[in-house]
Amino acid sequence: MASSNDFGQLLAFSFAMLVGCFLAGMVPLSMTLSESNLQLMSSLGAGLLVGTALAVIIPEGVAILLTTSHHHEDGQEVDAHDSASSIGMALTCGFIFMLLVDQIGGAHGHSHGSASGNKGEGLGQKSLSTIIGLVVHAAADGIALGAATLTDRADVEFIIFLAIMLHKAPAAFGLTSFLLHEGADRTSVRKVLIIFSLAAPILAILTYISLTTINGGLSQFSTGWVMLFSAGTFLYVSTVHVLPEISSGGSADKVIALGDQEIQIHKSANRISWANLVALCSGTFLPVLFSQSHHH
């Protein structure tokens, strides 16, 4: 199932992810990017994550699990039912895993511009927990790419790579902006950025190696299960982190003083601008169109 050509392609994608992510993270060190442009990129990236999870990873993972269940000669109905249960279990585990990462690592936001913190205080516990959370998030993205390599579907692998790249670039930008805002020196920022950039490629390679060491039908089942697990992580990141941020990005808070009390009013909350909405929908449908064109 696995070949040296597959591994070579994975290495090429991993290297491209590493370089692209690092370069995106270096942007705040040299120039400032407008919030609106960054939100457009985030919207497109969030759409790609949703579309890739729903239209590419889940169907591919389901197909692999159902194929492995039909390979058994005895008890086909039981196997098919077990596979159906495995689909829901894998998706749920991926979603819950990212939820736990947020809680353990300190619920961080995919902030791309102004992060809360006092400049000049250096990196504290809050900064460290945010860094750990973002690195684990980045590493989890690599699971999908590593598993996709074993499907022998170049189009699936490319779509997943594209979705990860367009999601990781704003995340790298946001991480660097956050660290600079927290008062970190440029050398420390570069070190953290390198770790962040290495996370997904390393886990992609480790996932591939782990799945190739498993033999026979169990290997196929594991590949399908891991793909569905990664779909759950994609759905969590896009719906819990990126979408709420996009919808609240354009809202301006107005503070009204009433005597000795202040009331904060959130204006235009939960409303996505038309430009971001178009980018989000376009990103969601791109994987659908791409996968359909390769099926015909």
Side-chain angles (χ1 to χ4, degrees):
M1 193 174 180
S3 68
S4 57
N5 186 45
D6 290 335
F7 189 62
Q9 194 170 339
L10 175 62
L11 287 177
F13 277 135
S14 298
F15 181 74
M17 269 199 303
L18 170 63
V19 174
C21 186
F22 183 78
L23 290 177
M26 290 295 288
V27 171
L29 293 172
S30 55
M31 59 178 286
T32 54
L33 196 65
S34 71
E35 184 72 20
S36 59
N37 288 339
L38 200 57
Q39 280 213 331
L40 271 177
M41 192 175 178
S42 297
S43 301
L44 186 64
L48 274 170
L49 285 182
V50 174
T52 301
L54 296 177
V56 179
I57 302 179
I58 292 177
E60 194 66 26
V62 169
I64 292 171
L65 288 185
L66 293 181
T67 301
T68 54
S69 73
H70 291 150
H71 280 312
H72 294 281
E73 293 181 2
D74 300 321
Q76 274 193 351
E77 290 183 14
V78 176
D79 288 331
H81 181 268
D82 288 345
S83 294
S85 301
S86 299
I87 293 166
M89 176 62 74
L91 287 167
T92 305
C93 285
F95 195 93
I96 295 298
F97 171 75
M98 297 311 284
L99 175 65
L100 293 176
V101 167
D102 270 359
Q103 297 307 310
I104 296 170
H108 64 278
H110 276 49
S111 178
H112 302 313
S114 59
S116 59
N118 297 320
K119 194 170 183 176
E121 288 186 1
L123 297 179
Q125 185 64 38
K126 175 193 164 191
S127 303
L128 187 62
S129 65
T130 301
I131 292 167
I132 292 170
L134 280 170
V135 168
V136 174
H137 269 249
D141 288 342
I143 296 174
L145 189 62
T149 309
L150 290 167
T151 62
D152 294 325
R153 291 277 304 279
D155 57 324
V156 170
E157 194 176 355
F158 177 74
I159 294 170
I160 291 173
F161 164 75
L162 190 64
I164 292 172
M165 274 304 301
L166 279 172
H167 165 65
K168 279 173 66 65
F173 185 99
L175 174 62
T176 306
S177 301
F178 170 79
L179 292 174
L180 289 173
H181 190 86
E182 291 287 292
D185 60 272
R186 288 169 181 263
T187 305
S188 299
V189 171
R190 287 191 186 95
K191 286 178 182 176
V192 172
L193 183 59
I194 289 171
I195 294 171
F196 177 80
S197 302
L198 282 169
I202 287 175
L203 204 63
I205 293 168
L206 288 177
T207 300
Y208 176 87
I209 293 172
S210 300
L211 290 173
T212 50
T213 55
I214 305 172
N215 297 318
L218 185 59
S219 173
Q220 275 196 313
F221 179 85
S222 301
T223 301
W225 200 94
V226 169
M227 285 196 74
L228 290 168
F229 176 90
S230 66
T233 67
F234 274 34
L235 290 174
Y236 179 88
V237 172
S238 56
T239 55
V240 177
H241 277 298
V242 188
L243 288 180
E245 181 189 330
I246 294 167
S247 63
S248 63
S251 62
D253 289 349
K254 185 178 181 182
V255 178
I256 300 176
L258 294 176
D260 58 348
Q261 292 187 348
E262 288 184 344
I263 297 177
Q264 198 172 42
I265 299 176
H266 301 280
K267 296 168 68 179
S268 64
N270 300 322
R271 190 73 183 268
I272 303 176
S273 70
W274 282 109
N276 287 338
L277 189 61
V278 170
L280 179 65
C281 293
S282 301
T284 305
F285 276 104
L286 272 176
V288 181
L289 298 173
F290 196 82
S291 60
Q292 286 295 324
S293 65
H294 276 72
H295 277 303
H296 295 299

